[in-house]
Amino acid sequence: MAKDPSSALQRRPLTLRDVSDASGVSEMTVSRVLRNRGDVSGATRERVLAAARELGYVPNRIAGALASQRVNLVAVIIPSLSNMVFPEVLTGVSEVLEDTGLQPVVGVTNYSPEREEKVLYEMLSWRPSGIIIAGLERSHAARAMLENAGIPIVEIMDVDGTPVDNAVGISHRRAGRHMAEAIVAAGYRRIGFLGTMMPYDHRARKRLEGFESALIAAGLTVEDREFYSGGSALLKGREMTEAILSRSPDLDFLYYSNDLIGAGGLLWCLNHAIEVPEKVGLAGFNGVELVQGLPCHLATMDACRLEIGRKAAEIVAGKRADGATSGLVIELEPKLEPGDTIRRL
């Protein structure tokens, strides 16, 4: 019985020679087409690409990486995939890298400095073309790896600190101050804070620092606090809101460290016939789409996530108009969205 030649082909990795035979052009021409290099006619290019698609050929990038010491990957290191904030950042990164030949590869640290070191070590061992990494605070070992990577490094989400190379984000201290100023201007005076214990969520900690500094400037303080550890969730927001208002029923405003627990708090207040925003005002942070589907729109602050991803990718890919890939600090301005849960005077 004769063997099917296609099945024999599938038992070994495809090579440039296979694409060359299928397209009827030289291996050199195939290589130029697949690397998008050299002067090749449109008809020949299409013939080669059609043959490669038909065969299912995937170029071996390792061989090129051995010569250049770099692969066409951009490491994107974030604290969480369950947090609704980071998928939008990744969308911005992917949009910009789409036509560059660079591919984002995601690593997740779970807000752990030890885990961040391990992820960073593994990512850098593949010699990526750039690193996009959340936050500015990290261990000595992690910072040393970044400082000696020899590639564009962009720390994202935060500009309140000293970056290794580049930073793109917002000032969380300024965001906290602006929220406090809006709350005070709306006539609220007895204010509570609900959020994470913040051992590693440095951005939430900075927002609270800015928030408290603005309250102090207005002669006020945070009168009660409710902390939690673990991921953000609607149920957690409900539980925290019940706890703080049971303990401090005279509070007239609740500031949540993120929109998810804020949404849970809003639902708890509505279920218990608490008049929002007249009796109790509420605000979260991040501007996630979820808040737009609630019975009333939770006050929040847009953290510019999509734009952060885009601008970080532009730096790594060298797509900025000035061509700069080092020494940049790009601060974006978050937008306060008062929604329906802050009084309008």
Side-chain angles (χ1 to χ4, degrees):
M1 185 181 203
K3 292 182 179 180
D4 180 354
S6 66
S7 65
L9 192 65
Q10 291 170 6
R11 285 198 293 269
R12 63 174 175 78
L14 293 168
T15 66
L16 286 178
R17 177 63 180 272
D18 296 311
V19 182
S20 171
D21 291 343
S23 60
V25 301
S26 70
E27 291 181 43
M28 180 70 73
T29 300
V30 170
S31 176
R32 287 174 178 166
V33 170
L34 296 178
R35 290 184 296 119
N36 200 25
R37 303 280 175 83
D39 185 15
V40 180
S41 71
T44 300
R45 183 178 301 278
E46 182 53 40
R47 188 160 71 250
V48 170
L49 293 175
R53 282 195 299 269
E54 180 67 23
L55 290 172
Y57 175 77
V58 177
N60 181 355
R61 299 296 190 194
I62 295 176
L66 291 174
S68 68
Q69 297 296 303
R70 294 281 170 243
V71 295
N72 65 330
L73 302 177
V74 173
V76 183
I77 302 175
I78 57 177
S80 171
L81 281 174
S82 60
N83 189 325
M84 298 175 71
V85 168
F86 295 104
E88 196 167 350
V89 175
L90 293 174
T91 297
V93 171
S94 297
E95 287 177 356
V96 171
L97 295 184
E98 186 173 357
D99 62 350
T100 66
L102 297 171
Q103 293 294 327
V105 178
V106 179
V108 180
T109 68
N110 298 320
Y111 290 95
S112 164
E114 294 78 17
R115 175 67 180 161
E116 182 179 86
E117 285 182 21
K118 292 177 181 177
V119 171
L120 190 54
Y121 181 89
E122 291 299 326
M123 290 287 197
L124 285 172
S125 73
W126 285 95
R127 299 299 187 266
S129 294
I131 296 278
I132 296 173
I133 184 168
L136 292 170
E137 287 78 16
R138 46 192 39 91
S139 70
H140 174 77
R143 189 173 181 91
M145 283 188 278
L146 291 172
E147 287 174 341
N148 293 286
I151 55 177
I153 306 293
V154 187
E155 292 167 288
I156 60 170
M157 314 306 290
D158 190 4
V159 297
D160 292 321
T162 303
V164 169
D165 188 4
N166 305 285
V168 178
I170 67 169
S171 167
H172 287 265
R173 290 193 179 95
R174 183 173 290 118
R177 289 199 300 271
H178 287 176
M179 181 62 77
E181 289 163 358
I183 291 168
V184 171
Y188 297 102
R189 293 296 179 267
R190 297 183 56 82
I191 298 160
F193 173 80
L194 303 89
T196 173
M197 296 276 295
M198 296 176 286
Y200 300 123
D201 191 345
H202 300 287
R203 293 177 291 282
R205 170 181 55 79
K206 292 173 185 177
R207 286 197 301 278
L208 179 56
E209 289 171 357
F211 186 76
E212 290 183 297
S213 70
L215 290 184
I216 290 171
L220 303 172
T221 61
V222 173
E223 298 204 2
D224 198 359
R225 305 158 194 258
E226 183 70 18
F227 294 114
Y228 74 102
S229 59
S232 305
L234 291 172
L235 178 59
K236 184 69 70 174
R238 285 174 174 268
E239 294 171 349
M240 296 170 71
T241 302
E242 180 177 18
I244 198 170
L245 288 180
S246 296
R247 188 170 60 242
S248 302
D250 293 337
L251 293 177
D252 64 3
F253 200 94
L254 302 179
Y255 179 43
Y256 297 83
S257 65
N258 62 66
D259 285 344
L260 278 185
I261 56 172
L266 173 58
L267 293 173
W268 188 89
C269 289
L270 296 177
N271 288 345
H272 290 79
I274 295 176
E275 294 180 353
V276 177
E278 292 78 13
K279 180 175 174 54
V280 177
L282 309 170
F285 180 83
N286 274 323
V288 299
E289 274 189 42
L290 173 75
V291 300
Q292 298 175 14
L294 297 173
C296 58
H297 191 170
L298 177 70
T300 185
M301 191 167 278
D302 177 6
C304 311
R305 299 180 302 280
L306 188 66
E307 193 65 13
I308 286 172
R310 287 171 174 161
K311 290 189 177 299
E314 287 172 357
I315 294 172
V316 167
K319 292 187 70 174
R320 285 174 51 88
D322 59 9
T325 60
S326 184
L328 299 167
V329 176
I330 301 174
E331 180 177 346
L332 303 176
E333 187 65 33
K335 179 183 177 183
L336 175 65
E337 299 173 358
D340 303 314
T341 61
I342 294 180
R343 285 194 298 253
R344 297 174 187 269
L345 298 180

